[in-house]
């Protein structure tokens, strides 16, 4: 396995694994990991790598769908799971861009993966601290508002991916 393939594999592992952990955090289900949760996370990671090999950078959409499916399994609400998946997707995009800026500003050649992983884990810790100490809800109580926000967010992500 070449260094580039190992790097890509590790990147997909980090991306898919952290997305799964973000959903667990948003659902305030951080403390419980069942065998089904662990199996699902590992399956998403393996499938994500296969999808990345097949379609490249557009792999984020199927990965987000798998994350939304996990959220739906926990919430049994299509609108909530859709919105949670989109929140996690946007947060990951923000972390990706911040990582790029840091690597560029510091001229840290080859340091993207380390920077991205560090920022993902740091933001995961910060999210958990905030959620444990507040009563902030991850979605709205009204499903219609979840659908509207999900539609707006999908529109934003569609425009973002087309650029």
């Amino acid at each position: 396995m070449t260094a580039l393939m190992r790097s890509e594999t590790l990147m997909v592992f980090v991306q898919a694994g952290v997305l799964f952990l973000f959903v667990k955090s948003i659902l305030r289900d951080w403390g419980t990991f069942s065998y089904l949760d662990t199996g699902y996370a590992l399956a998403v990671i393996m499938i994500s790598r296969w999808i990345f090999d097949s379609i490249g950078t557009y792999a984020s959409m199927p990965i987000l769908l798998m994350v939304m499916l996990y959220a739906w399994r926990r919430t049994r609400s299509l609108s909530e799971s859709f919105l949670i998946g989109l929140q996690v997707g946007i947060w990951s995009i923000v972390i990706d861009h911040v990582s790029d800026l840091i690597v560029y500003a510091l001229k840290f050649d080859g340091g993207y993966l380390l920077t991205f992983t560090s920022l993902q884990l740091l933001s995961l810790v910060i999210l958990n601290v905030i959620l444990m100490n507040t009563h902030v809800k991850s979605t709205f109580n009204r499903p219609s508002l979840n659908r509207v926000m999900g539609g707006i967010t999908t529109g934003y992500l569609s425009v973002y991916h087309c650029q």
Side-chain angles (χ1 to χ4, degrees), residues 40-82:
Y40 188 84
L42 291 174
V44 166
I45 290 167
M46 289 187 293
I47 292 168
S48 298
R49 178 62 189 161
W50 176 76
I51 291 171
F52 183 80
D53 286 342
S54 301
I55 61 176
T57 57
Y58 294 103
S60 59
M61 291 305 168
I63 293 168
L64 277 179
L65 289 175
M66 289 185 285
V67 167
M68 288 177 194
L69 179 64
Y70 177 78
W72 176 81
R73 186 178 72 80
R74 303 302 263 175
T75 65
R76 296 294 186 211
S77 169
L78 189 58
S79 66
E80 280 185 54
S81 61
F82 188 65

Side-chain angles (χ1 to χ4, degrees), residues 95 98-99 102 114-124:
I95 297 290
V98 170
S99 298
I102 290 172
L114 177 63
T115 305
F116 179 77
T117 302
S118 299
L119 287 176
Q120 285 278 48
L121 294 175
L122 179 65
S123 64
L124 188 61

